[in-house]
């Protein structure tokens, strides 16, 4: 067969689908022609078989014999290549010829129908109606004549299919073709050409939003209530051996084990995947895990916390992209990603270069965004107690916590402070006391509380402060309970606030009543009149000692008098 004799060039081979055990040659419209055993081009040409043009082909790769610039009708080299392929496969040549003849007959029929429609349009409406009536009767006679081949010649129909649907008797071929098409529609839906799905339109790079658009966005949620948002980027920073890594690691383990609270602060309450990129103190993390488990009465290890201890340079774009790809490949959605420390993640970088620090903070945030979580960096301070390096550490952070310790670095770490120096979506400036405790072979964070020991010298109480103290006494009288978390009777901070609303210690119409209560609390702590631990508060009975609880009379009984400041 000469490919020049083919009237429809779209029927010539255009490429090949290659699978593990066979290859399928297809035409310009991606319709399969023949299947050849083996992977192209090392195929057994003599064993080629015809393939249904509507069959869906599953393949590993595909190759093309030519492109739009070298089509057969204009390129001699392409014609010679296709001729060589056709000459090696007689089955391919015969199938192309058969399809060419069928296409020619279809074109003639289409032209005749088009001419008939044109001539019909020239007739009068009455003549058109008569012509349609005559055509319908003729079609009914034809279908009645062909019906006998539908059921009476099943064996012949099966033989015709097995032989590759050759042309023989006109009436039988026409009816058999209609029958095969009907069966094919019932067996499976029409297949789609094997083109890849079109890519989704990319989101606009620059998004312009109105106020109404902003109101439709979801409100900010907290991963650690009032401390760390579910999404964002921030820093925990402090001096060497100040306890910043202990605090960050303790927080990650609380999230990984799904604990309900972190020292009185609400957590999601379900186990979360967390990632620690640990380039500092990695060999001691096993001991810290054991200490945490012993302190909290946990026996099983968790696979929710993942350590990445390989060296990585966040300043190297190529290395950072590899790290992102590795996190995506892991299949985990990390609720929190912590980098300990920033100095080990930026080797050789100038920490006072605004461009380098801005790029690092952007990379750090991208790690959190992979899993829709938050990213936290652990960093050191300079001689003045601020973050070491550029001010852009703070400018690009959503939250920042400064950690300090009591005593020198040569003394055991038993107590420290954590100071919220920045909170983008909440109140900042507050401080908490951190107590550490020995467990197993390491230290654990025993508690994070408010304490008068860290609130400075005693100050003069205002009328609002006195009312708040009076409200606390009334709340203890009405709702005070004995709890294992604190010696003596105590109430919750929310119960104290409700009583303040009633007698005027805090204005219930204020924009931030919790902040106003916190201010009262700070002064009362500084004067050592109250004791606060986590979410519980009580009055200190100075008649005995600071650590003795108030009278354990039943709720509603008399309370000791409020001590006067001396």
């Amino acid at each position: 067969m000469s490919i020049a004799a083919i009237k429809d060039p779209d029927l010539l081979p255009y490429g090949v689908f290659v699978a593990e055990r066979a290859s399928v040659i297809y035409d310009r419209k991606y319709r399969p022609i023949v299947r050849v055993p083996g992977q192209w081009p090392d195929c057994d040409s003599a064993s080629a078989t015809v393939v249904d043009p509507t069959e869906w082909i599953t393949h590993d790769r595909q190759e093309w014999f030519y492109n739009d610039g070298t089509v057969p009708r204009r390129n001699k080299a392409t014609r010679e290549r296709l001729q060589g392929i056709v000459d090696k496969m007689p089955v391919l040549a015969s199938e192309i010829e058969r399809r060419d003849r069928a296409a020619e007959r279809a074109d003639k029929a289409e032209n005749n129908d088009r001419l008939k429609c044109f001539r019909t349009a020239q007739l009068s409406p009455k003549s058109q109606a008569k012509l349609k009536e005559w055509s319908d009767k003729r079609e009914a006679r034809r279908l009645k004549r062909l019906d006998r081949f539908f059921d009476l010649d099943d064996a012949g129909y099966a033989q015709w299919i097995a032989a590759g649907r050759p042309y023989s008797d006109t009436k039988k071929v026409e009816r058999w073709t209609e029958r095969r098409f009907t069966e094919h529609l019932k067996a499976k839906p029409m297949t789609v050409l094997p083109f890849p799905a079109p890519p989704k339109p990319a989101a606009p790079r620059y998004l312009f939003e109105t106020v109404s658009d902003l109101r439709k966005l979801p409100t900010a949620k907290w991963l650690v209530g009032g401390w760390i948002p579910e999404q964002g980027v921030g820093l925990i920073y402090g001096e060497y051996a100040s306890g910043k890594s202990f605090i960050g690691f303790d927080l990650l383990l609380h999230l990984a084990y799904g604990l309900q609270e972190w020292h009185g602060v609400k957590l999601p309450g379900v186990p979360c995947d967390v990632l620690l990129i640990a380039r500092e103190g990695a060999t001691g993390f096993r001991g810290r895990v054991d200490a945490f488990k012993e302190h909290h009465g946990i026996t099983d290890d968790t696979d929710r916390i993942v350590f990445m201890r390989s060296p990585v340079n966040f300043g190297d774009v190529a290395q950072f992209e590899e790290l992102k790809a590795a996190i995506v490949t892991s299949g985990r959605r990390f609720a929190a990603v912590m980098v300990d420390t920033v100095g080990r993640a930026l080797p050789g970088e100038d920490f006072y270069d605004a461009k380098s620090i801005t790029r690092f903070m952007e990379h750090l945030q991208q790690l959190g965004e992979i899993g829709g979580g938050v990213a936290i960096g652990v960093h050191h301070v300079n001689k003045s107690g601020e973050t070491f390096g550029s001010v852009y550490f703070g400018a690009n952070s959503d939250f920042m916590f400064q950690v300090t310790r009591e005593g020198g670095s040569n003394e055991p770490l038993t107590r420290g402070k954590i100071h919220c120096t920045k909170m983008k979506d909440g109140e900042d400036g507050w401080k908490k006391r951190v107590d550490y405790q020995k467990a197993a072979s390491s230290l654990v964070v025993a508690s994070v509380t408010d304490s008068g020991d860290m609130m400075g010298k005693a100050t003069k109480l205002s009328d609002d402060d006195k009312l708040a103290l009076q409200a606390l006494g009334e709340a203890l009288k009405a709702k005070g309970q004995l709890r294992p978390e604190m010696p003596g009777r105590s109430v919750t901070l929310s119960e104290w606030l409700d009583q303040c609303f009633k007698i005027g210690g805090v204005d219930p119409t204020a924009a931030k009543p919790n902040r106003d209560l916190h201010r009262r609390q700070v002064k009362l702590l500084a004067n050592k009149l109250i004791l606060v631990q986590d979410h519980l508060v009580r009055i200190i009975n100075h008649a005995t000692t600071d650590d003795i609880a108030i009278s354990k009379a039943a709720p509603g009984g008399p309370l000791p008098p409020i001590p006067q400041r001396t």
Side-chain angles (χ1 to χ4, degrees), residues 9-20:
D10 288 344
L11 298 175
L12 297 175
Y14 181 52
V16 58
F17 295 123
V18 182
E20 182 179 359

Side-chain angles (χ1 to χ4, degrees), residues 318-347:
Q319 286 191 33
F320 179 73
E321 291 299 327
E322 290 180 4
L323 175 61
K324 287 175 57 179
I327 293 176
V328 173
T329 305
S330 71
R332 293 178 180 247
R333 292 182 60 83
F334 295 108
V337 178
M338 182 173 291
V339 177
D340 189 2
T341 64
V342 174
R344 299 294 295 273
L346 287 176

